[in-house]
């Protein structure tokens, strides 16, 4: 029996065993739920089936109506009997086509409706009417939500088992080769992987609901994409890192950020010219508003000569306005920064590019080396094991050399990646992108 205590879970082998047990439990629960609650699916008649419906209808033509009915009750009874026979033949054909899996609850309302329709209208109705058939999966009704959540969770667990097994294999190889370049298992990632089991299925469900919202003709209870929905849910779980990146980019569309900065106050107006030759007094400069720029100083008034010919004196210039407080503290000397790792376009389009991106960049080492000298600053790795955004808090303003190194192992070789770039950290420059490329030496 596998022990799930904390000490063993913190090792690569213990955590891998735990993930396998969780996946096994989820699969057992999945089969038990589906054995207890039979699922249903939508089917529509194809052209061959509709041609067979035509053959059935031609064998039971609509009765010819006359202008004078000799016995109305008898005629109605005969018409009803004829249409009941027609309906039974159609239903027998449908049971045969779908191997007896047509849901029993589907027949009763359809039978009542077809009794009031002639052959032409009956065929038109059956052409567009979804046929509910029994299925192992839940494709109709509120159980569809559970189907999406369960398949996304299975995808997450399969992904974690795959990547943890690779990390364990790499850890064993590192022990033999004394090389720790490529991401061996890190116990600190367990909390992030546990969180992924919860948020990834929810994100998959949100994307399915979003599809139905954009496709106004469909409702969740009538979704007809069938087994494609299961595949989509599993992929959303397995590649949950990409799903989170997609949602992260979507937020800029749905919830765009906005910023506003206030301007300084308006400077005082010029003083008016003095009368009788004395220059007016210059206006006092306005007090600065909340913003960067203070008020503009008032312009000195200029006197004009009066009738006696004496020239007036110049007015006094107004005092300059006081600068208002900036929306960002001018005394700030550090900033929080984010560095996003990517591949160069050439490497991204190479054979190894998609695999490198899929594996994530969280095994990379990203540092800021001050140009003026001093100890390098190591950035915090992303919490997601497939993440690419590295962060650092309160980085002093100044010039730095941004560096990143990472190693990736494909089926045969080790590919060493690196990048460096000169950057300037300031209040307006706190987000950077760095493109990794192959180094000249690879193992």
């Amino acid at each position: 029996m596998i022990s799930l205590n904390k000490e063993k879970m913190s090792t690569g082998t213990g955590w891998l065993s735990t993930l396998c047990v969780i996946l096994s439990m989820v699969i057992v629960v999945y089969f038990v739920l589906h054995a207890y609650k039979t699922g249903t699916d939508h089917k529509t008649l194809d052209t061959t089936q509709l041609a067979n419906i035509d053959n059935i209808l031609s064998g039971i033509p609509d009765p010819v109506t006359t202008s004078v009915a000799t016995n109305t009750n008898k005629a109605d009874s005969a018409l009803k009997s004829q249409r009941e026979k027609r309906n039974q033949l159609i239903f027998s054909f449908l049971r045969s086509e779908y191997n007896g899996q047509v849901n029993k609850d589907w027949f009763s309302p359809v039978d009542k409706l077809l009794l009031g329709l002639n052959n032409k209208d009956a065929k038109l109705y059956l052409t567009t009417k979804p046929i509910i058939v029994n299925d192992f999966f839940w494709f109709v009704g509120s159980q569809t939500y559970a189907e999406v959540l369960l398949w996304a969770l299975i995808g997450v667990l399969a992904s974690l088992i795959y990547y943890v097994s690779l990390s364990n294999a790499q850890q064993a190889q590192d022990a033999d080769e004394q090389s720790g370049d490529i991401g061996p298992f890190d116990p600190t990632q367990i909390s992030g992987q546990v969180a992924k089991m919860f948020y990834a299925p929810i994100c998959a469900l949100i994307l399915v609901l979003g599809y139905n919202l954009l496709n106004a003709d469909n409702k969740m209870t009538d979704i007809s994409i069938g087994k494609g929905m299961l595949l989509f849910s599993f992929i959303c779980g397995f590649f949950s890192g990409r799903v989170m990146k997609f949602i992260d980019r979507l937020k800029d569309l749905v919830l765009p950020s906005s910023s506003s900065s206030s301007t300084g106050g308006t400077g005082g107006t010029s003083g008016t010219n003095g009368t009788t030759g004395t220059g007016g007094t210059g206006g006092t400069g306005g007090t600065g508003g909340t913003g960067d720029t203070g008020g503009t100083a008032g312009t000195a008034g200029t006197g004009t000569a009066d009738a006696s010919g004496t020239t007036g004196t110049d007015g006094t210039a107004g005092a300059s306005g006081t600068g208002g407080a900036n929306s960002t503290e001018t005394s700030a000397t550090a900033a929080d920064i984010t560095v996003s790792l990517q591949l160069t376009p050439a490497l991204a389009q190479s054979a190894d590019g998609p695999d490198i991106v899929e594996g994530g960049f969280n095994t990379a080492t990203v540092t800021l080396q001050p140009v003026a000298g001093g100890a390098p600053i190591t950035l915090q790795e992303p919490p997601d094991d497939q993440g690419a955004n590295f962060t650092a808090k309160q980085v002093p303003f100044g010039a730095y050399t941004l560096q990143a190194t990472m190693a990736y192992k494909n089926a045969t070789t080790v590919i060493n990646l690196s990048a460096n770039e000169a950057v300037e950290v300031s209040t307006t420059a706190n987000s950077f992108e760095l493109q990794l490329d192959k180094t000249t030496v690879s193992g």
Side-chain angles (χ1 to χ4, degrees):
M1 179 177 178
I2 299 175
S3 174
L4 302 182
N5 59 56
K6 183 177 179 180
E7 182 178 354
K8 288 189 176 182
M9 283 177 58
S10 63
T11 66
T13 304
W15 180 235
L16 179 62
S17 301
T18 302
L19 290 173
C20 291
V21 170
I22 295 174
L23 178 59
S24 300
M25 294 173 61
V26 171
I27 292 175
V28 169
V29 170
Y30 181 85
F31 278 97
V32 169
L33 289 175
H34 283 71
Y36 175 77
K37 177 69 175 177
T38 303
T40 51
D41 192 9
H42 284 145
K43 300 292 183 181
T44 53
L45 298 175
D46 58 29
T47 54
T48 302
Q49 291 169 328
L50 288 173
N52 288 323
I53 294 290
D54 274 334
N55 294 334
I56 294 173
L57 296 178
S58 63
I60 309 177
D62 289 324
V64 179
T65 58
T66 58
S67 58
V68 179
T70 57
N71 191 329
T72 304
N73 292 334
K74 185 176 180 180
D76 290 342
S77 178
L79 178 61
K80 181 179 179 181
S81 176
Q82 182 183 22
R83 288 183 175 174
E84 285 177 347
K85 180 181 178 181
R86 177 197 66 184
N87 292 354
Q88 291 304 315
L89 288 174
I90 292 175
F91 294 159
S92 296
F93 167 73
L94 294 178
R95 289 191 187 95
S96 174
E97 283 293 297
Y98 296 106
N99 300 318
Q101 294 300 312
V102 181
N103 192 275
K104 294 179 180 179
D105 296 334
W106 181 83
F107 288 109
S108 180
V110 174
D111 185 31
K112 292 180 180 179
L113 182 62
L114 291 181
L115 287 176
L117 299 177
N118 58 32
N119 287 354
K120 179 181 179 181
D121 293 336
K123 182 192 174 183
L124 181 62
Y125 175 75
L126 291 173
T127 301
T128 57
K129 174 66 177 177
I131 301 170
I132 308 299
V133 298
N134 296 326
D135 198 284
F136 177 79
F137 303 103
W138 298 330
F139 293 134
V140 180
S142 58
Q143 293 87 2
T144 308
Y145 301 116
E147 196 75 58
V148 172
L149 292 172
L150 287 169
W151 274 96
L153 179 58
I154 292 173
V156 171
L157 292 170
S159 172
L160 294 178
I161 289 173
Y162 172 71
Y163 286 111
V164 171
S165 64
L166 290 183
S167 297
N168 289 344
Q170 182 58 45
Q171 192 168 21
Q173 181 178 344
D174 290 345
D176 295 336
E177 299 179 1
Q178 299 297 319
S179 171
D181 290 336
I182 310 173
F185 178 75
D186 184 0
T188 60
Q189 296 179 359
I190 292 179
S191 59
Q193 294 177 1
V194 171
K196 184 182 291 188
M197 299 179 198
F198 290 89
Y199 69 71
I202 298 298
C203 291
L205 179 60
I206 293 300
L207 291 181
V208 171
L209 292 174
Y211 164 81
N212 284 276
L213 179 64
L214 295 175
N215 188 8
D217 294 335
N218 285 334
K219 297 180 180 178
M220 189 63 185
T221 54
D222 295 325
I223 192 168
S224 58
I225 58 177
K227 295 178 178 60
M229 182 186 67
L230 305 185
L231 178 61
F232 177 79
S233 302
F234 179 84
I235 291 176
C236 283
F238 197 93
F239 302 109
S240 56
R242 292 193 177 186
V243 172
M244 293 306 297
K245 291 178 183 177
F246 170 76
I247 294 178
D248 185 62
R249 293 175 181 175
L250 188 63
K251 78 177 188 301
D252 295 329
L253 252 137
V254 180
L255 301 170
S257 59
S258 60
S259 58
S260 59
S261 59
S262 51
T263 58
T266 305
T269 59
S270 300
T272 57
N273 289 334
T275 57
T276 68
T278 302
T281 302
T284 303
T287 302
T290 303
D292 295 329
T293 308
T296 306
T299 305
T302 304
T304 56
D306 59 9
S308 62
T310 304
T311 303
T313 59
D314 287 344
T316 305
S320 177
T322 304
N326 195 334
S327 57
T328 302
E329 295 183 7
T330 57
S331 60
T333 58
D336 297 341
I337 70 165
T338 300
V339 176
S340 178
L341 295 186
Q342 300 178 5
L343 299 181
T344 60
L347 180 56
Q349 296 174 8
S350 68
D352 293 309
D355 291 333
I356 296 175
V357 173
E358 189 55 47
F361 298 95
N362 69 314
T363 59
T365 300
V366 182
T367 58
L368 281 169
Q369 178 65 53
V371 174
I377 301 172
T378 302
L379 275 67
Q380 178 67 36
E381 65 183 23
D384 187 358
D385 58 348
Q386 294 173 291
N389 292 331
F390 291 71
T391 57
K393 302 289 187 181
Q394 294 299 298
V395 177
F397 292 165
Y400 293 87
T401 299
L402 179 59
Q403 299 175 331
T405 58
M406 191 182 89
Y408 168 78
K409 182 179 180 181
N410 60 17
T412 57
T413 61
V414 175
I415 300 175
N416 294 309
L417 308 172
S418 66
N420 64 82
E421 181 182 342
V423 298
E424 181 80 20
V425 176
S426 65
T427 54
T428 58
N430 50 24
S431 182
F432 308 99
E433 291 185 357
L434 200 57
Q435 294 186 345
L436 295 169
D437 201 357
K438 291 183 180 180
T439 60
T440 54
V441 179
S442 295

